[in-house]
Amino acid sequence: MTKFVIYLRVSRHSQGESGLGLEAQQRDIDIFLSTYVNDPELIATFTEVQSGADNDRPELAKALALVRTTPGAELLVAKLDRLSRRVSFIAKLLEDKRVRFRVASMPHADAFQLHIYAALAEQEREFISRRTIAALGAAKARGTKLGGLRPHTDLRNAALKAQADARATKLGTILAPMREAGKTYAQIAEALALMNVPTARGGRWNDVTVARALRRVEFTA
């Protein structure tokens, strides 16, 4: 029997109040527990509304303290970025001999893979931020008015587009070779599921989402 301390996190109060972000995380955790663990014991669940860039989070501190003082207990999060968006924080936890943690969406990942994934994710976020700034600068140079009645709309849209483009570029290194090798959309979806690669919304791949992603890759290239 494996003991788990569950940690859920959303960045905004609106996500916490709506339950959408929390529901998605709980769904992934339920899938993990029912599929990859025999007879799990749930000790406690801690929920936090705070940015993942903050290392000082009271609920996470409580969850980690419980893991450290409960023999055989592991911290369980839905996705790695729910634990932290900083690779330095992840690395420090991986070095803590008193803490073991699992990521529901990456059920077979070992410590080395988690460290690499955290580092790549941090680099991707930095790139998206720089790309957004460049996009806004180019829009301003063209005379596009930024702001108005909804001052954050242009910034948000630019950030979302930059994020989608960066994800498409990253996916292209996975999808394109499989498609060129003659794999069907369904076969590619199955391969992505085996590699624990989630869709942009955290769901499972199918032939439709694969086709849509490939179109996005071709558009971005």
Side-chain angles (χ1 to χ4, degrees):
M1 177 182 294
T2 305
K3 303 175 183 178
F4 289 103
V5 175
I6 297 173
Y7 177 71
L8 310 173
R9 183 187 65 79
V10 289
S11 299
R12 302 188 303 273
H13 283 284
S14 58
Q15 289 178 319
E17 291 168 358
S18 68
L20 295 177
L22 297 178
E23 287 176 5
Q25 292 175 57
Q26 189 62 59
R27 175 205 62 202
D28 290 351
I29 285 174
D30 290 342
I31 292 173
F32 170 82
L33 293 174
S34 62
T35 306
Y36 299 98
V37 183
N38 292 324
D39 195 22
E41 179 183 349
L42 305 184
I43 301 176
T45 297
F46 295 87
T47 303
E48 196 137 49
V49 181
Q50 194 168 342
S51 170
D54 297 333
N55 289 345
D56 185 16
R57 283 172 273 152
E59 294 304 307
L60 177 58
K62 294 176 186 176
L64 290 172
L66 185 57
V67 169
R68 291 186 177 106
T69 56
T70 305
E74 299 180 12
L75 184 70
L76 177 60
V77 294
K79 296 182 179 180
L80 191 58
D81 64 2
R82 298 303 87 193
L83 184 56
S84 179
R85 291 186 178 276
R86 296 184 182 276
V87 64
S88 57
F89 187 88
I90 299 296
K92 186 176 181 180
L93 275 187
L94 289 171
E95 294 173 355
D96 191 337
K97 302 300 183 183
R98 298 173 299 165
V99 174
R100 289 191 62 190
F101 68 86
R102 304 283 294 276
V103 180
S105 61
M106 304 172 67
H108 301 301
D110 58 25
F112 176 75
Q113 291 170 325
L114 291 174
H115 195 161
I116 294 298
Y117 184 86
L120 291 174
E122 186 171 88
Q123 290 180 22
E124 183 179 21
R125 285 191 296 273
E126 180 181 354
F127 176 79
I128 290 172
S129 176
R130 292 179 181 276
R131 189 171 185 172
T132 300
I133 293 173
L136 290 174
K140 186 176 181 180
R142 292 193 303 268
T144 302
K145 184 178 179 181
L146 303 178
L149 296 177
R150 302 183 63 183
H152 300 295
T153 299
D154 292 298
L155 179 61
R156 184 182 68 248
N157 290 343
L160 290 174
K161 183 180 184 303
Q163 184 175 7
D165 288 346
R167 178 177 174 80
T169 300
K170 186 177 180 180
L171 277 174
T173 62
I174 302 174
L175 301 181
M178 287 193 285
R179 188 60 176 165
E180 290 171 0
K183 299 295 184 182
T184 65
Y185 293 151
Q187 289 173 327
I188 294 175
E190 183 178 355
L192 291 171
L194 291 175
M195 289 188 291
N196 298 309
V197 177
T199 65
R201 297 184 178 182
R204 292 180 62 84
W205 291 92
N206 55 48
D207 53 351
V208 175
T209 53
V210 168
R212 187 181 302 131
L214 280 167
R215 286 196 296 272
R216 179 81 190 188
V217 169
E218 293 171 358
F219 176 78
T220 307

